[in-house]
Amino acid sequence: VGTAEIADNLELLVEFNYSQHYLKLIGRETPESTPEDIKFKMGNYNIPFIFNYNILNLKNDLLFGIQLGASASLMHEMKLTDISKEDYYLDPYYLKPSDLEFDSTNGQISFNAFAVMGVSASYERFMLNFRYFKGITDPYRQAPFYIPVDGIEVKGKDNYYNFTLIYFLDNGGW
C-alpha cells in the first residue's frame, strides 16, 4: 500500500493485492441427475485507487473515515475445488466447470473495473477497511463459450464486499 496525503484529512491509497473468493454454482453429474452445489475458488489481482477522508478524529490516534475510489482487476479465474466434479454440467446451460477457466483457456488476461466505496478505522500504523466493490465491466466477455439457446448470452457483473487489515511499515507514505 502506498499513501499520499492530499489535504489535512484526505489521503490517496494505492494498493496492489490478491483477492480470493469462494462461490457455489448448481451442477449435475448427468443432465438427468439431481442438482447439487459445485464449489469454485475465484482469484483476482487488484489495483485499487482509494480516497480516504477522515471524518472523525478521537484523541489524535483513532481516526474514522469514508472511502471512495476505483479498482482495476486483472485475471478472472474460477477453479473447481473438487476435481472429481470436473465432468459435471453446470445449470442451466450445461457448461463444463473448465469453461469457467477462460483466462487460462484463451491465453488472455481479463481487465475489469470496479467502483469502490467503504469505511475505515485507523489507529497508529493499523488501518481496518470495509469496502463494497461494484462491478462496472462484464468479466464474462472473455469467456470462450457460446450458448445457442434462444439467443441467450452469458453476461454479468461481479459485486462483492471486502474486509482488509493494513499495517503501514512507516508513517511517511510517499
Side-chain angles (χ1 to χ4, degrees):
V1 176
T3 62
E5 188 173 333
I6 296 171
D8 282 343
N9 291 319
L10 181 65
E11 60 191 347
L12 174 66
L13 303 172
V14 179
E15 304 173 7
F16 180 76
N17 56 51
Y18 176 76
S19 297
Q20 188 167 287
H21 312 276
Y22 291 92
L23 66 143
K24 294 178 189 176
L25 300 175
I26 304 297
R28 304 164 186 260
E29 188 171 6
T30 66
E32 298 80 29
S33 60
T34 305
E36 58 184 280
D37 288 339
I38 310 292
K39 296 177 183 175
F40 288 84
K41 175 176 68 172
M42 183 174 74
N44 301 77
Y45 292 95
N46 304 298
I47 306 169
F49 294 86
I50 309 291
F51 289 99
N52 185 69
Y53 183 71
N54 293 315
I55 56 174
L56 183 60
N57 184 344
L58 301 177
K59 298 182 183 176
N60 259 357
D61 289 332
L62 184 60
L63 304 169
F64 293 94
I66 55 175
Q67 299 181 335
L68 191 61
S71 181
S73 178
L74 305 173
M75 298 274 300
H76 190 82
E77 192 77 353
M78 289 192 218
K79 296 266 188 200
L80 186 64
T81 59
D82 183 354
I83 200 72
S84 70
K85 296 183 179 182
E86 67 184 352
D87 291 325
Y88 274 47
Y89 297 93
L90 300 175
D91 282 351
Y93 303 118
Y94 300 107
L95 298 171
K96 291 288 188 180
S98 61
D99 290 334
L100 298 179
E101 297 177 11
F102 46 84
D103 271 5
S104 322
T105 304
N106 62 15
Q108 295 179 347
I109 295 177
S110 296
F111 173 82
N112 298 302
F114 294 88
V116 183
M117 60 198 90
V119 293
S120 68
S122 301
Y123 181 73
E124 294 182 359
R125 292 181 183 225
F126 289 94
M127 178 181 263
L128 187 66
N129 301 301
F130 182 72
R131 298 176 182 155
Y132 176 66
F133 287 69
K134 171 80 171 143
I136 297 172
T137 57
D138 178 5
Y140 306 100
R141 69 189 182 279
Q142 300 280 4
F145 46 82
Y146 171 70
I147 314 299
V149 180
D150 299 326
I152 295 174
E153 292 182 69
V154 176
K155 291 184 175 186
K157 292 183 180 169
D158 291 341
N159 305 316
Y160 62 94
Y161 293 97
N162 177 289
F163 176 77
T164 59
L165 176 64
I166 298 171
Y167 176 76
F168 295 98
L169 297 177
D170 65 42
N171 290 330
W174 288 340

